Amino acid sequence: MTAMAHEPLTQEEVLLEGFLALDTPEGFRAELIEGEIVVTPPPDGEHEKYISRIVRQVIKRSRTDMDFSGNKGLRLKSGEACPKNHVVPDVTFAPIELDLFGGAGSWMPCHGVAMVLEVTSTKPQADREAKRRCYARGGIPLYLLADRDTSQITLFSAPEKDDYREHCTLPFGKPLVLPEPFAFELETADFL
């Protein structure tokens, strides 16, 4: 029997393989964000309330019919020598006509995604910074962040390289204009 020589795995390949093999406890989610494995506990009820209020408005009021997925794994470009980011937004929106979620695997590419939504929880800095950079690198046109700690909602738009060039931040209670393909004012009064 002849042994075959194998190329040694790079640190990035080892990290990615370890991440993909994780078996997280029920309700927890694991993400690979900028070379770091992040495990998040199940969300609290307030977190889910914000998500519900936003999703209901998008479904009812969006100019373009939207499909959505909660906790859908996205594979996104990474910076420098890190393996591809594997990020799980709280909600991912895409035009229903694209049928992005039908037949998608656990981790899907982000092409066609119209907007991702994050509601801050136990690791708000990841939502404010690292995930924002990941979504921008992936070319996701809109990133909506409901920041419970600051009582503000921010819409990031115009992704370019490692960040979004534009953003609009308003306090909870003020309506936020969502551009095309949504084209409506998102009400945030019931976040107070």
Side-chain angles (χ1 to χ4, degrees):
M1 184 163 161
T2 308
M4 294 183 62
H6 291 283
E7 291 291 320
L9 294 175
T10 66
Q11 184 175 352
E12 293 78 28
E13 290 168 331
V14 170
L15 178 63
L16 181 58
E17 282 187 15
F19 166 73
L20 293 173
L22 280 177
D23 186 19
T24 56
E26 187 174 339
F28 283 70
R29 71 178 182 198
E31 301 172 284
L32 180 57
I33 303 172
E34 296 185 333
E36 181 181 342
I37 295 174
V38 178
V39 178
T40 308
D44 61 28
E46 284 296 305
H47 182 272
E48 298 303 283
K49 175 183 129 180
Y50 286 74
I51 291 171
S52 174
R53 299 302 193 273
I54 293 170
V55 168
R56 288 180 62 195
Q57 288 186 61
V58 168
I59 297 304
K60 288 181 177 180
R61 302 177 65 202
S62 180
R63 180 172 291 162
T64 301
D65 284 340
M66 287 288 160
D67 221 350
F68 76 95
S69 180
N71 298 308
K72 181 69 193 114
L74 299 177
R75 279 189 321 273
L76 304 164
K77 292 179 190 174
S78 64
E80 301 179 22
C82 298
K84 278 194 174 188
N85 291 301
H86 285 65
V87 181
V88 182
D90 288 327
V91 180
T92 303
F93 294 99
I96 204 164
E97 66 187 20
L98 297 179
D99 193 24
L100 287 186
F101 308 121
S106 299
W107 297 99
M108 67 177 236
C110 62
H111 180 72
V113 169
M115 181 171 73
V116 291
L117 163 65
E118 294 287 358
V119 176
T120 57
S121 56
T122 57
K123 298 182 191 250
Q125 280 309 109
D127 294 330
R128 293 179 192 130
E129 296 175 18
K131 283 188 166 187
R132 186 190 76 231
R133 290 188 299 268
C134 289
Y135 298 142
R137 273 187 221 110
I140 295 174
L142 301 171
Y143 172 35
L144 185 62
L145 174 63
D147 195 322
R148 298 188 300 166
D149 296 336
T150 64
S151 298
Q152 295 177 324
I153 191 150
T154 301
L155 180 66
F156 296 95
S157 58
E160 186 176 287
K161 297 183 183 174
D162 290 345
D163 212 344
Y164 288 91
R165 290 178 308 179
E166 299 174 18
H167 73 278
C168 176
T169 301
L170 295 171
F172 289 165
K174 301 281 185 187
L176 176 72
V177 175
L178 294 180
E180 291 286 347
F182 301 92
F184 74 93
E185 283 190 351
L186 180 72
E187 297 296 333
T188 64
D190 58 352
F191 294 177
L192 297 172

